[in-house]
Coordinates of all heavy atoms in Angstrom, one line a residue:
M1008 N 0.9 -1.2 0.0 CA 0.0 0.0 0.0 C 0.9 1.2 0.0 O 1.8 1.3 0.8 CB -0.9 0.0 1.2 CG -1.6 1.3 1.5 SD -2.6 1.3 2.9 CE -4.0 0.5 2.2
Q1009 N 0.6 2.1 -0.9 CA 1.4 3.3 -1.0 C 0.8 4.4 0.0 O -0.3 4.3 0.5 CB 1.3 3.9 -2.4 CG 2.0 3.0 -3.4 CD 3.5 3.1 -3.2 OE1 4.1 3.5 -2.3 NE2 4.2 2.6 -4.3
I1010 N 1.6 5.4 0.2 CA 1.2 6.5 1.1 C 0.0 7.2 0.6 O -0.9 7.5 1.5 CB 2.4 7.5 1.1 CG1 3.6 6.9 1.7 CG2 2.0 8.7 1.9 CD1 4.9 7.5 1.2
Q1011 N -0.2 7.4 -0.7 CA -1.4 8.1 -1.1 C -2.7 7.3 -0.8 O -3.7 7.9 -0.4 CB -1.3 8.3 -2.7 CG -0.2 9.2 -3.1 CD 1.1 8.4 -3.4 OE1 1.3 7.2 -3.0 NE2 2.1 9.1 -3.9
T1012 N -2.6 6.0 -0.9 CA -3.8 5.2 -0.6 C -4.1 5.2 0.9 O -5.2 5.3 1.3 CB -3.6 3.7 -1.1 OG1 -3.3 3.7 -2.5 CG2 -4.8 2.9 -0.8
F1013 N -3.0 5.1 1.7 CA -3.2 5.2 3.1 C -3.8 6.5 3.6 O -4.8 6.5 4.3 CB -1.8 5.0 3.8 CG -1.8 4.9 5.3 CD1 -2.1 3.7 5.9 CD2 -1.5 6.0 6.0 CE1 -2.1 3.6 7.2 CE2 -1.4 5.9 7.4 CZ -1.7 4.6 8.0
K1014 N -3.3 7.6 3.1 CA -3.8 8.9 3.4 C -5.2 9.1 2.9 O -6.1 9.6 3.6 CB -2.9 10.0 3.0 CG -3.4 11.4 3.4 CD -2.4 12.4 3.1 CE -2.8 13.8 3.6 NZ -1.8 14.8 3.4
A1015 N -5.4 8.7 1.6 CA -6.8 8.8 1.0 C -7.8 8.0 1.8 O -9.0 8.5 1.9 CB -6.7 8.3 -0.4
T1016 N -7.4 6.9 2.3 CA -8.4 6.1 3.1 C -8.7 6.8 4.4 O -9.9 6.9 4.7 CB -7.8 4.7 3.4 OG1 -7.4 4.0 2.2 CG2 -8.7 3.8 4.2
R1017 N -7.7 7.4 5.0 CA -8.0 8.1 6.2 C -8.9 9.3 6.0 O -9.9 9.5 6.7 CB -6.7 8.7 6.8 CG -6.9 9.6 8.0 CD -5.6 10.0 8.6 NE -4.8 11.0 7.8 CZ -5.1 12.3 7.7 NH1 -6.1 12.8 8.3 NH2 -4.3 13.0 6.9
L1018 N -8.6 10.0 4.9 CA -9.5 11.2 4.5 C -10.9 10.8 4.2 O -11.8 11.5 4.5 CB -8.8 12.0 3.4 CG -7.5 12.7 3.8 CD1 -6.8 13.3 2.6 CD2 -7.6 13.7 4.9
K1019 N -11.0 9.7 3.4 CA -12.3 9.2 3.0 C -13.2 8.8 4.3 O -14.4 9.1 4.3 CB -12.2 8.0 2.1 CG -13.5 7.3 1.7 CD -14.2 8.2 0.8 CE -15.5 7.5 0.3 NZ -16.4 8.4 -0.4
L1020 N -12.5 8.3 5.3 CA -13.2 8.0 6.5 C -13.4 9.2 7.4 O -14.1 9.1 8.4 CB -12.4 7.0 7.3 CG -12.2 5.6 6.7 CD1 -11.2 4.7 7.5 CD2 -13.6 4.9 6.6
G1021 N -12.9 10.4 7.0 CA -13.1 11.6 7.7 C -12.4 11.6 9.1 O -12.9 12.3 10.0
M1022 N -11.3 11.0 9.1 CA -10.6 10.9 10.4 C -9.3 11.8 10.4 O -8.6 11.9 9.4 CB -10.1 9.5 10.7 CG -11.3 8.5 10.9 SD -10.6 6.9 11.3 CE -12.1 6.0 11.7
S1023 N -9.0 12.3 11.6 CA -7.7 12.9 11.9 C -6.7 11.8 11.9 O -7.0 10.7 12.0 CB -7.8 13.7 13.2 OG -7.9 12.8 14.3
Q1024 N -5.4 12.3 11.9 CA -4.3 11.3 12.1 C -4.4 10.6 13.4 O -4.2 9.4 13.5 CB -3.0 12.0 12.0 CG -2.6 12.4 10.5 CD -1.3 13.0 10.4 OE1 -0.7 13.6 11.4 NE2 -0.8 13.0 9.2
A1025 N -4.8 11.3 14.5 CA -5.0 10.7 15.8 C -6.1 9.7 15.8 O -5.9 8.5 16.3 CB -5.2 11.8 16.9
A1026 N -7.2 10.0 15.2 CA -8.3 9.1 15.2 C -8.0 7.9 14.4 O -8.4 6.7 14.7 CB -9.6 9.8 14.7
F1027 N -7.4 8.1 13.2 CA -7.0 7.0 12.3 C -6.0 6.0 13.0 O -6.1 4.8 12.9 CB -6.4 7.5 11.0 CG -6.4 6.5 9.9 CD1 -7.5 5.8 9.5 CD2 -5.2 6.3 9.2 CE1 -7.5 4.9 8.4 CE2 -5.2 5.4 8.1 CZ -6.3 4.8 7.7
G1028 N -5.1 6.6 13.8 CA -4.1 5.8 14.5 C -4.8 5.0 15.6 O -4.5 3.8 15.7
E1029 N -5.8 5.5 16.3 CA -6.5 4.8 17.3 C -7.3 3.7 16.6 O -7.4 2.5 17.1 CB -7.5 5.7 18.0 CG -8.2 5.1 19.2 CD -9.0 6.0 20.0 OE1 -8.6 7.2 20.2 OE2 -10.1 5.6 20.5
Y1030 N -7.9 4.0 15.4 CA -8.7 3.0 14.6 C -7.9 1.8 14.3 O -8.4 0.7 14.3 CB -9.2 3.8 13.4 CG -10.1 3.1 12.5 CD1 -11.4 2.7 12.8 CD2 -9.7 2.8 11.2 CE1 -12.2 2.1 11.9 CE2 -10.5 2.1 10.2 CZ -11.8 1.8 10.6 OH -12.6 1.2 9.7
L1031 N -6.6 2.0 14.0 CA -5.7 1.0 13.5 C -4.8 0.4 14.7 O -4.1 -0.5 14.5 CB -4.8 1.5 12.4 CG -5.5 1.9 11.1 CD1 -4.5 2.4 10.1 CD2 -6.2 0.6 10.5
G1032 N -4.9 1.0 15.8 CA -4.1 0.6 16.9 C -2.6 1.0 16.8 O -1.7 0.3 17.3
I1033 N -2.4 2.1 16.2 CA -1.0 2.7 16.1 C -1.1 4.1 16.6 O -2.1 4.7 16.7 CB -0.5 2.6 14.6 CG1 -1.4 3.3 13.6 CG2 -0.3 1.1 14.2 CD1 -0.8 3.4 12.2
S1034 N 0.1 4.7 16.8 CA 0.1 6.1 17.3 C -0.1 7.1 16.2 O 0.1 6.8 15.0 CB 1.5 6.3 17.9 OG 2.5 6.3 17.0
E1035 N -0.5 8.2 16.6 CA -0.7 9.4 15.6 C 0.7 9.7 14.9 O 0.7 9.9 13.7 CB -1.2 10.6 16.4 CG -1.3 11.8 15.5 CD -1.7 13.1 16.3 OE1 -2.0 13.0 17.5 OE2 -1.9 14.1 15.6
S1036 N 1.8 9.6 15.7 CA 3.1 9.8 15.1 C 3.4 8.8 14.0 O 4.1 9.1 13.0 CB 4.2 9.9 16.1 OG 4.3 8.7 16.8
T1037 N 3.0 7.6 14.2 CA 3.2 6.5 13.2 C 2.4 6.8 11.9 O 2.9 6.7 10.8 CB 2.9 5.1 13.7 OG1 3.7 4.9 14.8 CG2 3.0 4.1 12.7
V1038 N 1.2 7.3 12.1 CA 0.3 7.7 10.9 C 1.0 8.8 10.2 O 1.2 8.8 9.0 CB -1.1 8.1 11.4 CG1 -1.9 8.7 10.2 CG2 -1.8 6.9 12.0
A1039 N 1.5 9.8 10.9 CA 2.2 11.0 10.3 C 3.4 10.5 9.6 O 3.7 11.0 8.5 CB 2.5 12.0 11.3
A1040 N 4.2 9.6 10.2 CA 5.4 9.1 9.6 C 5.2 8.4 8.3 O 5.9 8.5 7.3 CB 6.2 8.2 10.6
I1041 N 4.1 7.6 8.3 CA 3.7 6.8 7.1 C 3.3 7.8 6.0 O 3.8 7.7 4.8 CB 2.6 5.8 7.4 CG1 3.1 4.7 8.2 CG2 2.0 5.3 6.1 CD1 2.0 3.8 8.8
E1042 N 2.5 8.8 6.3 CA 2.0 9.8 5.4 C 3.1 10.7 4.8 O 3.0 11.2 3.7 CB 0.9 10.6 5.9 CG -0.4 9.8 6.1 CD -1.6 10.6 6.6 OE1 -1.5 11.8 6.8 OE2 -2.7 10.0 6.8
N1043 N 4.2 10.9 5.6 CA 5.3 11.7 5.2 C 6.5 10.9 4.7 O 7.6 11.4 4.5 CB 5.7 12.6 6.4 CG 4.7 13.7 6.7 OD1 4.3 14.4 5.8 ND2 4.2 13.7 7.9
N1044 N 6.2 9.6 4.4 CA 7.2 8.8 3.8 C 8.4 8.6 4.6 O 9.5 8.4 4.1 CB 7.5 9.2 2.4 CG 8.1 8.1 1.5 OD1 7.8 7.0 1.7 ND2 8.9 8.5 0.5
R1045 N 8.3 8.6 5.9 CA 9.4 8.4 6.8 C 9.3 7.0 7.4 O 10.2 6.6 8.1 CB 9.4 9.4 8.0 CG 9.7 10.8 7.5 CD 9.9 11.8 8.7 NE 8.9 11.6 9.7 CZ 7.9 12.4 9.9 NH1 7.7 13.4 9.2 NH2 7.0 12.1 10.9
R1046 N 8.2 6.3 7.2 CA 8.1 4.9 7.7 C 7.2 4.1 6.7 O 6.3 4.6 6.1 CB 7.3 5.0 9.0 CG 7.2 3.7 9.7 CD 6.6 3.9 11.1 NE 6.9 2.7 11.9 CZ 6.9 2.7 13.2 NH1 6.7 3.8 13.9 NH2 7.2 1.6 13.8
R1047 N 7.6 2.9 6.5 CA 6.9 2.0 5.6 C 5.7 1.4 6.3 O 5.6 1.3 7.5 CB 7.9 0.8 5.3 CG 7.4 -0.2 4.4 CD 8.4 -1.3 4.1 NE 8.3 -2.4 4.9 CZ 7.3 -3.3 4.9 NH1 6.3 -3.1 4.1 NH2 7.3 -4.4 5.7
I1048 N 4.7 1.2 5.5 CA 3.4 0.6 6.1 C 3.7 -0.9 6.3 O 4.0 -1.6 5.3 CB 2.2 0.8 5.1 CG1 2.0 2.3 4.9 CG2 1.0 0.1 5.7 CD1 1.1 2.6 3.7
S1049 N 3.7 -1.3 7.5 CA 4.0 -2.7 7.8 C 2.8 -3.7 7.4 O 1.7 -3.2 7.2 CB 4.2 -2.9 9.3 OG 3.0 -2.8 10.0
D1050 N 3.2 -4.9 7.2 CA 2.1 -5.9 6.9 C 1.1 -6.0 8.0 O -0.1 -6.2 7.6 CB 2.8 -7.3 6.7 CG 3.7 -7.3 5.4 OD1 3.5 -6.5 4.5 OD2 4.6 -8.2 5.4
V1051 N 1.5 -5.8 9.2 CA 0.5 -5.8 10.3 C -0.5 -4.7 10.2 O -1.7 -4.9 10.3 CB 1.2 -5.7 11.7 CG1 0.2 -5.6 12.8 CG2 2.1 -7.0 11.9
V1052 N 0.0 -3.5 9.9 CA -0.9 -2.3 9.7 C -1.8 -2.5 8.5 O -3.0 -2.2 8.5 CB -0.1 -1.0 9.6 CG1 -1.0 0.2 9.3 CG2 0.6 -0.7 11.0
R1053 N -1.2 -3.0 7.4 CA -2.0 -3.3 6.2 C -3.1 -4.3 6.5 O -4.2 -4.1 6.1 CB -1.1 -3.8 5.1 CG -1.9 -4.1 3.8 CD -1.0 -4.7 2.7 NE 0.0 -3.8 2.3 CZ 1.2 -4.1 2.0 NH1 1.6 -5.3 2.0 NH2 2.1 -3.2 1.6
G1054 N -2.8 -5.3 7.3 CA -3.8 -6.3 7.6 C -4.9 -5.7 8.5 O -6.1 -6.0 8.3
K1055 N -4.5 -4.9 9.4 CA -5.5 -4.2 10.3 C -6.4 -3.3 9.5 O -7.6 -3.3 9.7 CB -4.8 -3.4 11.4 CG -4.2 -4.2 12.5 CD -3.6 -3.3 13.5 CE -2.9 -4.0 14.6 NZ -2.3 -3.1 15.6
L1056 N -5.8 -2.6 8.5 CA -6.6 -1.7 7.7 C -7.6 -2.5 6.8 O -8.8 -2.1 6.7 CB -5.7 -0.8 6.8 CG -6.4 0.2 5.9 CD1 -7.3 1.2 6.7 CD2 -5.4 1.0 5.1
A1057 N -7.1 -3.5 6.2 CA -8.0 -4.4 5.4 C -9.1 -4.9 6.2 O -10.3 -4.9 5.8 CB -7.2 -5.5 4.8
E1058 N -8.8 -5.4 7.4 CA -9.9 -5.9 8.3 C -10.9 -4.9 8.7 O -12.1 -5.1 8.6 CB -9.2 -6.5 9.6 CG -10.2 -7.1 10.5 CD -9.5 -7.6 11.7 OE1 -8.6 -8.5 11.6 OE2 -9.8 -7.2 12.9
R1059 N -10.4 -3.7 9.0 CA -11.3 -2.6 9.5 C -12.2 -2.1 8.4 O -13.3 -1.7 8.6 CB -10.5 -1.4 10.0 CG -9.8 -1.7 11.3 CD -10.8 -1.9 12.4 NE -10.2 -1.8 13.7 CZ -10.8 -1.3 14.7 NH1 -12.0 -0.8 14.7 NH2 -10.2 -1.3 15.9
I1060 N -11.7 -1.9 7.2 CA -12.5 -1.4 6.1 C -13.1 -2.5 5.2 O -13.7 -2.2 4.2 CB -11.7 -0.4 5.2 CG1 -10.5 -1.0 4.5 CG2 -11.2 0.8 6.0 CD1 -9.9 -0.1 3.4
K1061 N -13.0 -3.7 5.7 CA -13.6 -4.9 5.1 C -13.3 -5.1 3.6 O -14.1 -5.2 2.8 CB -15.2 -4.7 5.2 CG -15.7 -4.4 6.6 CD -15.7 -5.7 7.4 CE -16.5 -5.5 8.7 NZ -15.7 -5.3 9.9
V1062 N -12.0 -5.1 3.4 CA -11.5 -5.4 2.0 C -10.4 -6.5 2.2 O -9.8 -6.6 3.2 CB -10.9 -4.2 1.2 CG1 -12.0 -3.2 1.0 CG2 -9.7 -3.6 1.9
N1063 N -10.2 -7.2 1.1 CA -9.2 -8.2 1.1 C -7.8 -7.5 1.0 O -7.6 -6.6 0.3 CB -9.4 -9.1 -0.1 CG -8.6 -10.3 -0.2 OD1 -7.3 -10.2 -0.1 ND2 -9.2 -11.4 -0.4
E1064 N -6.8 -8.1 1.7 CA -5.5 -7.5 1.6 C -4.9 -7.6 0.2 O -4.1 -6.7 -0.2 CB -4.5 -8.3 2.5 CG -4.6 -7.9 3.9 CD -3.5 -8.5 4.8 OE1 -2.3 -8.1 4.6 OE2 -3.8 -9.4 5.6
E1065 N -5.4 -8.5 -0.6 CA -5.0 -8.6 -2.0 C -5.4 -7.3 -2.8 O -4.7 -6.9 -3.7 CB -5.5 -9.8 -2.7 CG -4.9 -11.1 -2.2 CD -5.4 -12.4 -2.8 OE1 -6.2 -12.3 -3.7 OE2 -5.1 -13.4 -2.3
L1066 N -6.6 -6.8 -2.4 CA -7.0 -5.6 -3.1 C -6.1 -4.4 -2.7 O -5.8 -3.6 -3.6 CB -8.5 -5.3 -2.7 CG -9.1 -4.0 -3.3 CD1 -9.2 -4.2 -4.8 CD2 -10.5 -3.8 -2.7
L1067 N -5.7 -4.3 -1.5 CA -4.8 -3.3 -1.1 C -3.5 -3.4 -1.8 O -2.9 -2.4 -2.3 CB -4.6 -3.3 0.4 CG -5.8 -2.9 1.3 CD1 -5.4 -3.0 2.8 CD2 -6.3 -1.5 1.0
S1068 N -3.0 -4.7 -2.0 CA -1.8 -4.9 -2.7 C -1.9 -4.5 -4.2 O -1.0 -4.0 -4.8 CB -1.4 -6.4 -2.6 OG -1.1 -6.7 -1.3
F1069 N -3.1 -4.7 -4.7 CA -3.4 -4.3 -6.1 C -3.2 -2.8 -6.3 O -2.6 -2.4 -7.2 CB -4.8 -4.8 -6.5 CG -5.2 -4.1 -7.8 CD1 -4.8 -4.5 -9.0 CD2 -6.1 -3.0 -7.8 CE1 -5.2 -3.9 -10.2 CE2 -6.5 -2.3 -8.9 CZ -6.0 -2.8 -10.2
F1070 N -3.8 -2.1 -5.3 CA -3.7 -0.6 -5.4 C -2.2 -0.2 -5.3 O -1.8 0.8 -6.0 CB -4.5 0.1 -4.4 CG -6.0 0.1 -4.7 CD1 -6.9 -0.6 -3.9 CD2 -6.4 0.8 -5.8 CE1 -8.2 -0.6 -4.2 CE2 -7.8 0.8 -6.2 CZ -8.7 0.1 -5.4
E1071 N -1.5 -0.8 -4.5 CA 0.0 -0.5 -4.3 C 0.7 -0.7 -5.7 O 1.4 0.1 -6.1 CB 0.6 -1.4 -3.3 CG 2.1 -1.2 -3.1 CD 2.7 -2.0 -2.0 OE1 1.9 -2.5 -1.1 OE2 3.9 -2.2 -2.0
A1072 N 0.4 -1.9 -6.3 CA 1.1 -2.2 -7.6 C 0.6 -1.2 -8.6 O 1.4 -0.7 -9.4 CB 0.7 -3.6 -8.0
Y1073 N -0.7 -0.9 -8.6 CA -1.2 0.1 -9.6 C -0.6 1.5 -9.5 O -0.2 2.1 -10.5 CB -2.7 0.2 -9.5 CG -3.4 1.2 -10.4 CD1 -3.6 0.9 -11.7 CD2 -3.8 2.4 -9.9 CE1 -4.2 1.8 -12.6 CE2 -4.4 3.3 -10.8 CZ -4.6 3.0 -12.1 OH -5.1 3.9 -13.0
E1074 N -0.4 1.9 -8.2 CA 0.2 3.2 -8.0 C 1.6 3.3 -8.5 O 2.1 4.2 -9.1 CB 0.1 3.6 -6.5 CG -1.3 4.0 -6.1 CD -1.4 4.3 -4.6 OE1 -0.4 3.9 -3.9 OE2 -2.4 4.8 -4.2
K1075 N 2.3 2.1 -8.3 CA 3.7 2.1 -8.7 C 3.8 2.2 -10.2 O 4.6 2.8 -10.8 CB 4.4 0.8 -8.2 CG 4.7 0.8 -6.8 CD 5.4 -0.5 -6.4 CE 5.7 -0.5 -4.9 NZ 6.2 -1.8 -4.4
I1076 N 2.9 1.4 -10.9 CA 2.9 1.4 -12.4 C 2.5 2.8 -12.9 O 3.2 3.3 -13.8 CB 1.9 0.4 -12.9 CG1 2.4 -1.0 -12.6 CG2 1.7 0.5 -14.4 CD1 1.4 -2.1 -12.8
T1077 N 1.5 3.4 -12.4 CA 1.1 4.7 -13.0 C 2.0 5.8 -12.6 O 2.1 6.8 -13.4 CB -0.4 5.1 -12.5 OG1 -0.4 5.1 -11.0 CG2 -1.4 4.1 -13.0
K1078 N 2.8 5.6 -11.5 CA 3.8 6.6 -11.2 C 4.9 6.6 -12.2 O 5.5 7.6 -12.6 CB 4.3 6.4 -9.8 CG 5.2 7.4 -9.3 CD 5.6 7.1 -7.8 CE 6.4 8.3 -7.2 NZ 6.7 8.0 -5.8
N1079 N 5.2 5.4 -12.7 CA 6.3 5.3 -13.7 C 5.9 5.6 -15.1 O 6.7 5.8 -16.0 CB 6.9 3.8 -13.7 CG 7.6 3.5 -12.4 OD1 8.2 4.4 -11.8 ND2 7.6 2.3 -11.9
Y1080 N 4.6 5.6 -15.3 CA 4.0 5.8 -16.7 C 2.9 6.9 -16.6 O 1.8 6.5 -16.8 CB 3.5 4.6 -17.3 CG 4.6 3.5 -17.5 CD1 4.6 2.4 -16.6 CD2 5.5 3.6 -18.5 CE1 5.6 1.5 -16.7 CE2 6.5 2.6 -18.6 CZ 6.5 1.5 -17.7 OH 7.5 0.6 -17.8
P1081 N 3.3 8.1 -16.4 CA 2.2 9.2 -16.3 C 1.5 9.3 -17.6 O 2.1 9.1 -18.7 CB 3.0 10.4 -15.9 CG 4.4 10.2 -16.3 CD 4.6 8.7 -16.3
S1082 N 0.3 9.7 -17.5 CA -0.6 9.9 -18.7 C -0.4 11.2 -19.3 O 0.2 12.1 -18.8 CB -2.0 9.7 -18.4 OG -2.4 10.5 -17.4

């Protein structure tokens, strides 16, 4: 999962970084570090997010791959 998807999910849920951190069981500073590309999104956090928003982890992985591809091939 890329940073843009992580942040977009938080914004779509209408949550602050603090609320999103609580929602995922991580600290606000961890959320900020992920969004500012200072920390990688761990598999544990990806799994928690998938469980919370009721999507398959494979779907989140698809978005990660899609973002990488489109970043390399802008339209």
Side-chain angles (χ1 to χ4, degrees):
M1008 167 181 279
Q1009 294 285 18
I1010 298 154
Q1011 297 88 349
T1012 303
F1013 186 81
K1014 185 173 183 177
T1016 301
R1017 176 179 68 81
L1018 295 174
K1019 177 69 175 167
L1020 293 171
M1022 294 184 173
S1023 66
Q1024 288 181 337
F1027 197 54
E1029 187 174 325
Y1030 183 70
L1031 296 175
I1033 59 177
S1034 69
E1035 177 181 359
S1036 62
T1037 299
V1038 173
I1041 291 169
E1042 290 184 0
N1043 290 307
N1044 203 25
R1045 293 188 316 256
R1046 187 174 196 159
R1047 185 177 91 66
I1048 302 167
S1049 71
D1050 292 338
V1051 172
V1052 172
R1053 181 183 295 145
K1055 286 180 181 182
L1056 182 58
E1058 182 180 303
R1059 291 294 195 144
I1060 63 173
K1061 309 281 191 256
V1062 297
N1063 187 308
E1064 278 189 72
E1065 291 177 9
L1066 182 61
L1067 294 178
S1068 295
F1069 165 79
F1070 283 117
E1071 179 179 337
Y1073 178 77
E1074 287 176 346
K1075 286 179 183 176
I1076 291 168
T1077 57
K1078 188 175 187 177
N1079 292 329
Y1080 301 101
S1082 54

